[in-house]
Amino acid sequence: MIDAGGRLYGKQYLNVVVNIYNSRRELLETRTIDNVVLCPSDNSPRAGFYDPKDCNRSDVNINYYVSRRTYSLPDWSIIEINIKHKDGIYSE
């Protein structure tokens, strides 16, 4: 929802950190997914103003990046996903 509610934004350059914990909150695995680039969708009024060549066009599947697949985690496991803007791209 880059362009929603009357607000218009451009490409979003993101880093995603995935932490997987067991039921005792012990860290089992951490992975960083760098350089996720989200662009306005084709139905956005701003879509034509952005070069789509570096945009991620498919979903980010966490199971592709982690060794412990989410469907095989023990009961009460915790998956924590932290998403932040890539450093140095934005002024704030």
Side-chain angles (χ1 to χ4, degrees):
M1 297 194 57
I2 294 173
D3 295 336
R7 293 180 158 180
L8 301 176
Y9 302 97
K11 288 183 181 182
Q12 301 294 299
Y13 295 87
L14 307 171
N15 287 332
V16 179
V17 178
V18 179
N19 295 317
I20 300 176
Y21 300 92
N22 64 16
S23 61
R24 294 182 302 276
R25 192 79 173 156
E26 298 168 332
L27 183 63
L28 300 175
E29 183 174 355
T30 186
R31 289 286 182 260
T32 301
I33 306 169
D34 291 318
N35 301 320
V36 175
V37 182
L38 300 180
C39 295
S41 67
D42 293 335
N43 62 355
S44 165
R46 298 195 49 177
F49 296 100
Y50 298 98
D51 185 0
K53 70 179 177 187
D54 62 345
C55 298
N56 293 75
R57 291 293 183 185
S58 60
D59 295 335
V60 176
N61 185 340
I62 292 172
N63 284 324
Y64 178 78
Y65 297 95
V66 297
S67 62
R68 289 177 169 87
R69 304 295 187 247
T70 58
Y71 52 80
S72 65
L73 292 172
D75 291 342
W76 299 102
S77 295
I78 299 166
I79 301 171
E80 178 182 79
I81 302 171
N82 295 298
I83 302 170
K84 68 176 193 167
H85 284 116
K86 187 173 179 181
D87 293 335
I89 299 290
Y90 303 97
S91 60
E92 55 180 71

